[in-house]
Amino acid sequence: MKIPIQSFFMEKVTPKKKLGQHFLKEKTIAAKIANALPDNTPKNVLEIGPGTGMLTQFLVEKDLNLYVIDIDKESIAYLHTHFTELKGKIIEGDFLKYDLSLLFKNQPFSIIGNFPYNISSQILFKLLEYKTQIPKFVGTFQEEVAQRVCAVPNNKQYGILSVLLQAFYETKYLFKINASAFYPPPKVTSGVIFLERKSTSIDCDEKIFFKIVKQGFQQRRKTLKNSLKPIIKEAHYTENSIFGKRPEQLSVNDFITLAKIIENDPV
Ligand code: SAH
């Protein structure tokens, strides 16, 4: 069902800062975000943080098996009244704590949302946890996070999230959204990204890979040979020039190389 924009300030939900609520006002932008999810997407889709359904109204028009999850009681009540077609598919809950296997079992599903910015990184880490089931992901974050996800090496934005996500997903920065497009306007500009899972997985031990990426970036200014000392045998330092570099100079493949060295010769 369509929501008349003029009623926006009257009958909608009161924005709550602690829930990261900034409601999108511009319908054309909402349509653009909804359309960023490709048509060949799996039919199963989860929208995180639908709020008053600005994005949802365009998603329900598509041929999807759509579920939505929001933590806010008031938003949930609003959605129940205005989106009767989603009966049984409107979940009141915290996405971070929700057991996603309850929704789609082991079937693939995509994620979409204008996310609550206070939990951006946690949403992305949960995506990584469920990556084998999530082939596509479209979302709005604060621009700085959107850029971090898509950043390339030798760039100050490049960090843990860039390497971990790019190891498993092709990442694409789609477009910016000005703060004035939201009510209330957030303090920062927003950015929309699209992630598509790569067809091949990384060919090293995933746990080791995650560990060295995190450990490497914990001390950004240090060379790998210093920050990875406790987990890599010193004898390997001369084997590869990677060890003399700082984490932001390493490609995803360089981190995979490191993971393989540790895997084949653990401390
Ligand atoms: N998508 C809407 C609302 C964006 S505001 C729009 O574009 O207008 C972010 C939304 O995320 C709010 O509705 C807020 O209640 C919800 N939210 C905040 N924390 C959440 C959590 N942990 N799990 C699920 N939803 C959450």
Side-chain angles (χ1 to χ4, degrees):
M1 178 185 160
K2 293 265 165 33
I3 302 161
I5 193 76
Q6 64 271 24
S7 66
F8 193 81
F9 299 99
M10 278 112 69
E11 60 170 80
K12 287 205 175 183
V13 170
T14 317
K16 298 160 200 78
K17 204 175 168 192
K18 70 172 191 328
L19 296 181
Q21 290 182 336
H22 297 280
F23 298 115
L24 187 59
K25 291 190 291 184
E26 314 268 339
K27 273 190 162 190
T28 47
I29 299 177
K32 216 167 139 188
I33 299 169
N35 288 333
L37 201 61
D39 287 339
N40 63 352
T41 200
K43 288 221 182 305
N44 297 327
V45 173
L46 175 64
E47 185 191 353
I48 304 171
T52 51
M54 188 41 132
L55 210 53
T56 322
Q57 65 185 317
F58 295 102
L59 295 171
V60 292
E61 281 177 3
K62 295 172 182 271
D63 176 25
L64 298 173
N65 177 28
L66 176 70
Y67 280 75
V68 301
I69 180 166
D70 204 293
I71 201 168
D72 178 35
K73 272 194 170 37
E74 209 187 341
S75 294
I76 292 290
Y78 184 93
L79 294 164
H80 276 304
T81 316
H82 291 84
F83 292 91
T84 45
E85 64 271 58
L86 286 179
K87 198 168 189 295
K89 296 177 168 183
I90 299 172
I91 300 154
E92 182 183 340
D94 180 346
F95 168 71
L96 298 178
K97 295 192 183 140
Y98 197 78
D99 176 3
L100 295 176
S101 65
L102 296 174
L103 291 182
F104 305 115
K105 307 246 163 13
N106 294 322
Q107 291 170 11
F109 63 96
S110 295
I111 283 184
I112 190 163
N114 283 337
F115 304 119
Y117 296 169
N118 50 343
I119 57 166
S120 298
S121 305
Q122 293 163 78
I123 291 174
L124 290 165
F125 279 110
K126 186 149 179 175
L127 163 68
L128 283 167
E129 214 181 295
Y130 283 85
K131 60 187 178 315
T132 52
Q133 243 183 298
I134 308 177
K136 295 186 185 135
F137 179 99
V138 172
T140 312
F141 291 102
Q142 56 274 53
E143 200 193 14
E144 182 238 324
V145 171
Q147 280 176 351
R148 236 192 292 154
V149 170
C150 305
V152 293
N154 296 313
N155 183 317
K156 73 176 191 319
Q157 318 266 27
Y158 187 68
I160 295 176
L161 280 175
S162 332
V163 178
L164 294 184
L165 286 163
Q166 290 172 31
F168 303 99
Y169 288 91
E170 300 292 345
T171 65
K172 205 166 164 191
Y173 186 98
L174 298 181
F175 54 91
K176 271 189 199 179
I177 310 178
N178 288 330
S180 59
F182 296 92
Y183 172 77
K187 287 204 177 73
V188 290
T189 306
S190 300
V192 184
I193 57 169
F194 171 57
L195 308 186
E196 184 162 34
R197 208 181 51 225
K198 291 181 173 172
S199 51
T200 53
S201 195
I202 58 172
D203 60 343
C204 65
D205 184 287
E206 250 183 45
K207 276 208 180 103
I208 298 176
F209 176 74
F210 273 64
K211 189 171 169 188
I212 57 161
V213 173
K214 286 181 181 169
Q215 192 151 335
F217 278 105
Q218 250 165 32
Q219 294 166 301
R220 253 191 116 83
R221 307 303 306 163
K222 283 199 177 174
T223 58
L224 274 305
K225 93 177 145 220
N226 285 319
S227 56
L228 298 184
K229 225 171 225 160
I231 51 174
I232 292 196
K233 286 187 185 162
E234 237 175 291
H236 293 290
Y237 292 173
T238 48
E239 270 171 27
N240 199 313
S241 61
I242 293 176
F243 290 105
K245 294 185 179 176
R246 293 196 306 274
E248 68 186 50
Q249 298 172 301
L250 265 57
S251 66
V252 171
N253 280 334
D254 289 336
F255 279 104
I256 292 174
T257 303
L258 285 178
K260 282 182 183 162
I261 293 174
I262 299 177
E263 195 177 341
N264 293 330
D265 189 16
V267 174

